[in-house]
Amino acid sequence: MSKVLQSMKIAFRALRVNKLRSILTMLGIIIGVGAVIAMVAVGNGATARIQDQIASIGSNVIIIQGGSQNVGGVKAGNGNAQTLTEDDARAVSVECPSVQYTAPLVQNQAQVVFNNQNWFTRVMGTTPDYLQIRDIQISSGQPFTQSDVDASAKVLLLGKTVVDNLFSGGDPVGQIIRVKKVPFTVVGVMAPKGQSPTGQDQDDIMIMPITTAKKKVIGGRQNNMLMVQQILVQGRDGGTKQAVVEIQGLLRQRHRLQATQEDDFAVQNLEEVFAAQETSAQVMSILLASIASVSLIVGGIGIMNIMLVSVTERTKEIGLRQAVGAKTQDILSQFLVEAVTLSIFGGTIGIVLGVLGSLLIAYFAQWATNVTLGSVALAFVFSGLVGVFFGYYPARKAAFLDPIEALRYE
């Protein structure tokens, strides 16, 4: 232990003698560690953001929408054809064992008025199960019920964005607002959800019973034929893939589609979509960290070069130490400690700069970053390993110098 401490003292003394050279040597490690931490933080932030968006959408969510239709010989995208009904939603709920909740949806945009304030927002008609599927919490008031759906009650829930633009700090619960000149009672306010994965404000919305929406607000063909634009489904835990298979089979049977006919509906499993996005974010994080790690390799090569120069400059000193009894192991440990010290000092400074850099990225680029203890520890350990790896050859060269040749060196 005393020999290790002695080697450390000699190494620190040698580094203090050449301060500028030591700082320049550490620069590669500083940049490398800082870049790795900042880039990993950016990747972790992207992954965390996707996970938050998944949580805001709900778990095990499946979207069923109408298929495409030909307009003037041009095939439009999914959702353009009105092929789904409320009966389809009820059948999916009853006949698909892997399905937990279903909620038919109709939606449009409308002007909402309260006193002298107005706001143009999205109007959605659905059932109470929609709140369960989307994991929507009520911050004040209460949700509407199935009885409200059956009675076509003129009640609704408001999102935070609508509340902020219609009410001046007052409690909207119990207030009467007009939607397309129809009076509605606000029964509850939904807790904020933030942006959706597509960038849409999930709080700029009001939700009412689907029957009321069709009769009083949206109307049109949907009112006459009981058509719906989408059916939102929540599969049971671990059963979303099976739920998709069951839904496709049931709807093909209900829509009387032959084996050679294409589906007139589209089923999208959001769990798979988000899993792909999360994988992409993780790959991006690994790629960024790999690119940044190149700086660590360059920094390690710099340490090796400087240590080789140091061995050449101190050849006579090495010979003198060997002449007075220093062993090969003593010389090896001295120069190895110098290399590791340079790496660890550089790594420590790099960690500070990396954390600071990630905060600056979050502030100026408005990009979520997430510095984890694991990434900091990994960068620190890796910087030490770089010192050992690139410092070993110069240390070994110094340790195995011939004492006589070393003393004669000019």
Side-chain angles (χ1 to χ4, degrees):
M1 187 67 179
S2 60
K3 288 186 177 181
V4 174
L5 292 175
Q6 185 179 5
S7 296
M8 291 179 67
K9 288 179 181 179
I10 296 172
F12 281 123
R13 190 183 307 122
L15 293 175
R16 282 199 303 269
V17 170
N18 299 289
K19 292 179 182 177
L20 181 60
R21 188 169 69 181
S22 299
I23 293 172
L24 293 175
T25 306
M26 290 189 294
L27 198 57
I29 299 296
I30 292 171
I31 294 172
V33 171
V36 168
I37 290 177
M39 293 302 99
V40 170
V42 169
N44 288 341
T47 303
R49 186 175 181 180
I50 290 172
Q51 290 172 344
D52 290 341
Q53 290 173 342
I54 294 172
S56 73
I57 291 295
S59 59
N60 304 329
V61 176
I62 300 167
I63 296 177
I64 311 171
Q65 56 185 357
S68 61
Q69 61 181 351
N70 288 324
V71 181
V74 178
K75 197 170 185 180
N78 289 327
N80 287 280
Q82 297 289 339
T83 58
L84 300 174
T85 67
E86 290 184 62
D87 289 338
D88 287 334
R90 281 189 283 268
V92 168
S93 179
V94 172
E95 299 183 39
C96 296
S98 298
V99 169
Q100 189 168 11
Y101 297 108
T102 60
L105 309 177
V106 293
Q107 55 185 334
N108 208 331
Q109 291 184 312
Q111 195 80 12
V112 190
V113 179
F114 175 72
N115 292 339
N116 62 343
Q117 301 293 324
N118 68 89
W119 186 249
F120 193 72
T121 187
R122 186 159 53 107
V123 181
M124 178 180 290
T126 186
T127 61
D129 280 351
Y130 178 82
L131 307 180
Q132 296 288 339
I133 296 171
R134 292 292 314 280
D135 191 24
I136 293 176
Q137 305 297 320
I138 305 299
S139 59
S140 64
Q142 60 186 14
F144 63 82
T145 63
Q146 187 60 43
S147 298
D148 294 324
V149 176
D150 296 338
S152 301
K154 291 185 285 188
V155 297
L156 51 72
L157 302 171
L158 296 181
K160 186 178 183 300
T161 300
V162 181
V163 172
D164 291 342
N165 285 278
L166 286 184
F167 300 90
S168 302
D171 186 4
V173 176
Q175 300 289 345
I176 304 297
I177 65 174
R178 297 192 306 279
V179 183
K180 287 192 173 181
K181 298 183 180 180
V182 179
F184 281 81
T185 302
V186 179
V187 294
V189 176
M190 295 175 284
K193 279 272 187 182
Q195 285 190 343
S196 71
T198 58
Q200 186 179 42
D201 184 359
Q202 297 183 93
D203 302 319
D204 192 2
I205 190 174
M206 55 186 184
I207 302 177
M208 61 181 65
I210 188 170
T211 50
T212 312
K214 287 183 176 182
K215 292 177 182 178
K216 304 295 182 181
V217 180
I218 296 175
R221 183 185 176 194
Q222 293 161 336
N223 183 37
N224 297 328
M225 301 182 65
L226 297 178
M227 308 300 286
V228 296
Q229 294 165 345
Q230 288 183 347
I231 301 173
L232 210 62
V233 176
Q234 184 176 55
R236 300 187 185 278
D237 290 341
T240 51
K241 290 184 179 179
Q242 180 60 30
V244 169
V245 174
E246 293 171 0
I247 291 167
Q248 288 174 329
L250 175 63
L251 291 182
R252 286 189 63 85
Q253 179 184 353
R254 286 184 56 81
H255 295 185
R256 295 182 173 84
L257 297 176
Q258 300 299 320
T260 56
Q261 290 181 287
E262 294 182 356
D263 293 344
D264 62 352
F265 57 89
V267 182
Q268 186 177 33
N269 186 352
L270 293 188
E271 189 177 70
E272 294 179 351
V273 174
F274 288 135
Q277 290 183 352
E278 190 170 357
T279 301
S280 298
Q282 290 172 348
V283 170
M284 182 187 73
S285 178
I286 294 171
L287 180 62
L288 290 173
S290 300
I291 294 171
S293 297
V294 173
S295 300
L296 279 174
I297 305 299
V298 173
I301 293 172
I303 288 177
M304 179 184 285
N305 289 336
I306 294 300
M307 292 305 298
L308 285 171
V309 171
S310 180
V311 170
T312 302
E313 289 179 346
R314 294 157 62 187
T315 300
K316 186 167 286 189
E317 174 195 330
I318 295 168
L320 185 60
R321 288 196 64 197
Q322 291 174 326
V324 296
K327 296 180 180 179
T328 301
Q329 190 66 31
D330 299 329
I331 306 297
L332 180 69
S333 62
Q334 175 193 340
F335 281 88
L336 199 56
V337 166
E338 285 187 28
V340 173
T341 301
L342 284 169
S343 290
I344 290 179
F345 275 7
T348 303
I349 298 171
I351 289 171
V352 174
L353 293 181
V355 173
L356 181 61
S358 65
L359 294 176
L360 292 175
I361 291 171
Y363 181 78
F364 288 107
Q366 299 297 308
W367 182 277
T369 58
N370 182 20
V371 179
T372 62
L373 185 61
S375 64
V376 172
L378 182 63
F380 185 78
V381 170
F382 194 65
S383 66
L385 292 176
V386 165
V388 173
F389 182 80
F390 287 99
Y392 180 76
Y393 174 71
R396 189 177 185 279
K397 183 179 179 181
F400 286 94
L401 282 175
D402 184 282
I404 298 174
E405 295 297 328
L407 287 171
R408 287 178 180 175
Y409 185 81
E410 294 295 335

